[in-house]
């Protein structure tokens, strides 16, 4: 069902990566690990650290990470994978193994990401770059839905960056997308199934009922609006997966609740991944973060105010 692609993550191209190293981090589940993809800063000095939460699906960062993040030259990067995802494997969203789909839930992903990040911030500094760097936490698509819960786990956090995430509760965003595509009845059917007696592992429309149950109860907007870290939202005006109305609704709320610490970075011609026929606007976003990192005492949203023209 096409409207369910709301929760997907696009690919940015492929190719070998010689710059990233896989790491094993603990999860909330004993004897299970989360594979992360680590890269030191490419340029001296290292000015900041970027922690990235991926979108949905079961594809790894290997092959796409190097071109995607090439513009973050002065940043040390840590890219998380969901448990069970191998960095070097690429799958279309509809081709994820059934065992992965049955186990994929927002609550489990949050618990595992929290355990992994807690271990990362406690690691001996000799295992990574310089200590005390300012930190940005980036959520891509579905990964943005974890940001408010994980922000308190990050010492030195200076800001949250959402790419392709509206900031609304995911159930509200999904309903808006369903209406946009004329799939309101399909969304109502999913909601009804999730509220019924079938087991969590039951698959329905590309997800488990456990996933849908988590999504219907998941709260993002209020904790984001109540947060105090700068929040920068980057999104495409031609996003096929998140409707413009979802972006507009959250912007209206943020303008009232946190006007000084919320900023938008829209790309009118951009898609869900900030790509357009005219260029890779993700690299322009990274260029802005690099400018901010030269003066990290400034608010993150000062970068959005001084962006290059589209």
């Amino acid at each position: 069902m096409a409207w369910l692609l709301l929760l997907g993550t696009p690919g940015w191209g492929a190719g070998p990566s010689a710059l990233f190293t896989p790491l094993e981090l603990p999860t909330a589940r004993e004897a299970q690990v989360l594979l992360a993809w680590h890269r030191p800063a490419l340029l001296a000095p290292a000015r900041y650290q970027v922690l990235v939460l991926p979108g949905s699906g079961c594809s790894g960062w290997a092959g796409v990470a190097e071109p995607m993040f090439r513009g973050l030259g002065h940043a040390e990067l840590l890219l998380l994978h969901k448990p069970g995802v191998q960095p070097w494997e690429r799958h279309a969203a509809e081709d994820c193994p059934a065992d992965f789909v049955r186990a994929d839930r927002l609550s489990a992903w949050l618990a595992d990401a929290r355990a992994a990040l807690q271990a990362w911030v406690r690691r001996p500094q000799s295992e990574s770059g310089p200590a005390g760097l300012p930190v940005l936490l980036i959520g891509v698509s579905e990964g943005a839905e974890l940001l408010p819960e994980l922000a308190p786990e990050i010492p030195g956090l200076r800001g949250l960056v959402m790419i392709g995430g509206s900031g609304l509760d995911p159930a509200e965003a999904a309903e808006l997308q369903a209406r946009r595509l004329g799939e309101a009845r399909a969304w109502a059917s999913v909601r009804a199934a999730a509220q019924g007696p079938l087991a969590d592992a039951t698959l329905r429309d590309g997800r488990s009922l456990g996933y849908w149950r988590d999504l219907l109860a998941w709260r993002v907007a209020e904790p984001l609006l109540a947060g105090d870290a700068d929040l920068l939202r980057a999104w495409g005006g031609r996003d096929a997966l998140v409707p413009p109305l979802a972006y507009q609704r959250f912007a209206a709320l943020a303008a009232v609740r946190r006007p000084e610490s919320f900023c938008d970075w829209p790309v009118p011609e951009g898609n869900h991944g900030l790509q357009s026929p005219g260029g890779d606007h993700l690299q322009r976003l990274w260029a802005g973060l690099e400018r901010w990192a030269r003066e990290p005492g400034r608010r993150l949203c000062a970068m959005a105010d001084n962006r290059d023209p589209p």
Side-chain angles (χ1 to χ4, degrees), residues 66-153:
E66 193 167 326
M68 182 177 176
F69 294 100
R70 66 180 183 271
L72 293 175
H74 291 275
E76 178 189 14
L77 295 178
L78 182 74
L79 316 179
L80 300 188
H81 295 88
K82 288 185 177 182
V85 173
Q86 300 297 322
W88 48 87
E89 292 184 356
R90 301 294 297 169
H91 299 276
E94 64 273 15
D95 293 332
C96 289
D99 288 346
F100 173 87
V101 176
R102 290 190 180 95
D104 186 27
R105 299 184 59 165
L106 286 167
S107 56
W109 175 213
L110 173 61
D112 291 334
R114 177 179 284 121
L117 290 176
Q118 287 173 340
W120 172 255
V121 301
R122 293 195 303 262
R123 75 201 183 284
Q125 286 302 317
S126 60
E127 296 180 6
S128 185
L133 294 176
V135 181
L136 298 179
L137 185 61
I138 295 180
V140 180
S141 192
E142 182 191 87
E145 295 166 7
L146 275 58
L147 292 183
E149 294 291 335
L150 294 175
E153 308 292 341

Side-chain angles (χ1 to χ4, degrees), residues 245-295:
L245 183 56
Y247 290 117
Q248 294 162 7
R249 280 193 181 181
F250 185 81
L253 295 171
V256 174
R257 294 284 300 278
R258 50 179 305 168
E260 301 301 322
S261 58
F262 169 77
C263 48
D264 252 346
W265 202 89
V267 179
E269 70 276 29
N271 64 13
H272 190 60
L274 304 186
Q275 308 299 297
S276 78
D280 179 357
H281 301 279
L282 196 62
Q283 301 309 315
R284 294 179 47 249
L285 175 62
W286 299 155
L289 297 184
E290 288 280 290
R291 290 194 298 271
W292 165 81
R294 296 188 189 102
E295 301 179 63

Side-chain angles (χ1 to χ4, degrees), residues 2 11 14 32 58 100 108 116 143 155 181 186 196 201 204 206 211 214 219 224 229 248 254 277 281 287 300 309:
Q32 186 169 20
C58 56
F100 173 87
L181 298 178
R204 177 64 186 269
Y211 181 91
D214 273 10
R219 298 295 173 260
L224 279 178
Q248 294 162 7
H281 301 279
L300 179 62

Side-chain angles (χ1 to χ4, degrees), residues 7 41 64 95 201 215 231 238-239 263 267:
L7 301 172
V64 301
D95 293 332
L215 181 142
L231 174 60
R238 297 183 179 180
D239 190 336
C263 48
V267 179

